[in-house]
Structure formats: C-alpha cells, structure tokens
Amino acid sequence: MKRKKIIIGNWKMYNGPEQGHIFLHKLEEKLNNKKINCDFAIAAPFVTLPYIMPHDHGTNKGIEIDLCAQNFHYQNEGAFTGEISLAMLEQLGVRYGIVGHSERRQYFNETNKTVNLKLKAALNSSIIPVMAFGETLEEFEKNQTDDVILKQLTEGLKEINKTQIERIIFAYEPIWAIGTGKTATPKQAQKTIKKTREIIANIYDQKTAEKVRIQYGGSVKVENIKELMEQKDIDGALVGGASVDPDSFFKLITYDQN
Ligand code: PEP
C-alpha cells in the first residue's frame, strides 16, 4: 500500500511570533507555484501558531501550512493553569497535535498513561494525534528497543480501536538521536519502524498496520532525509533543529525533487 509521506517540523521552544511571521513569508516565497508531494506541518509554540497561518486561507493562490501543536491537555476545559485544550486548538484550525514527545516525557511527566488519555481525547476531536515513542541510549545499548516500544505502544494504545488507530500518526524517535546530531542509520530506523508495524499488526491486524503512517525522528536534516525516506516502512519525518530555518525546511519537504 502506498502511504503519503508526512514531514512535521517541531520548533520546540524556538521561533516566537516575530520569527514565525518571517519564516512564513520566506517559505511562501519559496513555495510559490511549487508542487509539494508530501503532507507537511509545523509544530510551533502555541503563541506562534496564529502567525504561521497562511495569509490567503481559502483562496487557491497560496500554500497551506498545516499547523501542529506540540502538546495539549486531555480535558476539554478546567482549572489547569498553563494548559491548552483540543477545543482551543480546533478554533485556530490546528490539524495535528504531538503526544508523548520524549522531551515532554523527560521534563513534564508525560507517561504512557497520559499519552493514552491524550490520544483518546484527540481521537474524539478533529485533531490528528502524532504519537511519539522511542528508547533511551541505555535501553538501545542493552538491546531493549523492541521491549520498550512494545510497552509504549501497548499502554499508549489501550482501549483504542481499529478504526480509531488509523487516524494516528506514529513517530519513532530514539531518544539518543534527538537533538544530538546522532541519527539512527536508515537501516536501524527501518528495522525498528518495521517492528512497530508488526506490533500494530499484532494488536490490531495486518491491513490496519499497513495503513498507518510511521515517521522517523532524530537529527533528520537535509543531508540525510532522502536516504531515510527511501526505506520501505518510513513514512515521513518529525524534524526538530533542521525545521526552524525556512531554507532548510523547504529543502526537507522537497527532498524528493533534488
Ligand atoms: C524532535 O524534536 O522531535 C527531533 C527529532 O529533534 P531533532 O531533529 O533536532 O533531533
């Protein structure tokens, strides 16, 4: 089955409204009349999201940068100071939301349990969840990758049914490769993403597993994206550092045209 690639830039805590506005301008210039073959989105900081909405939404002149949230709360509303709900993101026209990014797991108490709650909440909204998972360096070196991702997927996907799971985008991100400049080799990334598809086939079925898109993330850049995207099971990339600059992001989303 042919799955359309999806490239999402994760800006983390970079690019505020001013930089976002400039980025949008530059990217729009580059994208003018250019055909992009993959889906693409930017996960900007919450305050920046309104500033990277295409100016000419609704006309056929410009591009559509899909918006992605880096995080969201699983409750609709409530006394949760500092949090953002899915309903709020919907009002902005946000299309995707990252769940379980390793930095959220590491610094903000995101667990498989909260990942599960967030996935279920997103699946009841119009936001498409992007579920990030992956092993630490220590787990990688101890050869525990398969066990770790099995646990993350099994617990994260608890009580989510076959129809719902097709809406989830998966992002395999070995923690040792995030922001470190160390990329998993295309072969390593392919191996674990293939394993991920097998796990999904075991929980659901083969047909479902063939349908879901699984990205790779971890020091993806202009120089290595093509080879990663050529791997059979890799359906896109979640890119941090290399997505912050418009030239680099443009090259990433046109990797197949160079
Ligand atoms: C990320 O933020 O998900 C990521 C993969 O970062 P980087 O590309 O900088 O490693």
Side-chain angles (χ1 to χ4, degrees):
M1 136 161 308
K2 186 105 182 92
R3 296 175 297 264
K4 193 174 181 188
K5 304 270 196 243
I6 173 160
I7 296 173
I8 301 180
N10 173 22
W11 284 357
K12 313 187 189 219
M13 204 169 71
Y14 295 98
N15 282 351
E18 279 175 27
Q19 294 88 355
H21 183 74
I22 295 167
F23 179 104
L24 177 67
H25 228 77
K26 289 192 175 162
L27 187 65
E28 279 184 331
E29 265 172 32
K30 288 182 172 297
L31 286 171
N32 193 20
N33 289 326
K34 184 111 185 158
K35 186 166 166 5
I36 306 296
N37 301 318
C38 60
D39 290 333
F40 63 97
I42 301 271
F46 290 128
V47 292
T48 308
L49 286 171
Y51 293 85
I52 58 166
M53 282 161 85
H55 309 301
D56 45 9
H57 231 108
T59 76
N60 56 14
K61 185 168 144 260
I63 46 141
E64 294 276 328
I65 301 182
D66 279 329
L67 304 182
C68 179
Q70 296 177 13
N71 178 42
F72 53 84
H73 199 280
Y74 50 85
Q75 298 279 10
N76 269 344
E77 58 183 7
F80 301 109
T81 302
E83 291 292 324
I84 300 280
S85 74
L86 287 156
M88 293 169 186
L89 296 171
E90 283 175 334
Q91 285 181 26
L92 266 192
V94 171
R95 187 168 169 81
Y96 305 98
I98 302 173
V99 179
H101 190 279
S102 68
E103 286 150 18
R104 303 248 11 129
R105 292 183 191 252
Q106 194 176 349
Y107 306 123
F108 302 100
N109 297 326
E110 190 95 309
T111 61
N112 292 339
K113 171 88 188 141
T114 56
V115 165
N116 180 250
L117 290 169
K118 288 181 182 193
L119 286 176
K120 287 196 269 198
L123 292 168
N124 274 319
S125 78
S126 64
I127 310 284
I128 298 169
V130 180
M131 178 191 179
F133 61 97
E135 81 285 6
T136 63
L137 180 61
E138 196 189 346
E139 290 160 346
F140 174 69
E141 286 175 345
K142 284 189 183 156
N143 250 327
Q144 294 171 340
T145 302
D146 289 1
D147 293 339
V148 172
I149 66 167
L150 174 65
K151 186 169 161 65
Q152 286 174 330
L153 290 165
T154 313
E155 293 181 10
L157 295 172
K158 208 168 153 201
E159 292 160 2
I160 292 173
N161 68 35
K162 203 165 82 177
T163 323
Q164 290 173 312
I165 196 209
E166 289 175 14
R167 275 194 68 220
I168 301 177
I169 291 165
F170 293 87
Y172 166 58
E173 299 209 299
I175 296 171
W176 48 271
I178 299 179
T180 58
K182 260 191 215 168
T183 323
T185 62
K187 239 177 143 178
Q188 281 169 331
Q190 161 62 23
K191 182 170 169 267
T192 306
I193 289 180
K194 183 167 180 270
K195 180 75 199 171
T196 302
R197 217 177 283 289
E198 282 167 21
I199 293 171
I200 293 170
N202 282 338
I203 305 177
Y204 300 92
D205 58 41
Q206 189 62 37
K207 212 168 139 213
T208 307
E210 289 297 328
K211 278 192 206 163
V212 296
R213 293 192 284 183
I214 311 176
Q215 300 175 305
Y216 166 76
S219 299
V220 175
K221 41 188 182 283
V222 176
E223 295 76 26
N224 61 19
I225 190 165
K226 198 164 180 190
E227 209 187 336
L228 285 159
M229 292 309 107
E230 281 167 2
Q231 305 304 309
K232 184 167 174 281
D233 285 279
I234 303 185
D235 305 319
L238 184 53
V239 188
S243 71
V244 171
D245 171 77
D247 290 331
S248 171
F249 187 68
F250 176 74
K251 285 182 184 148
L252 290 169
I253 61 177
T254 53
Y255 76 90
D256 58 331
Q257 301 181 37
N258 303 313

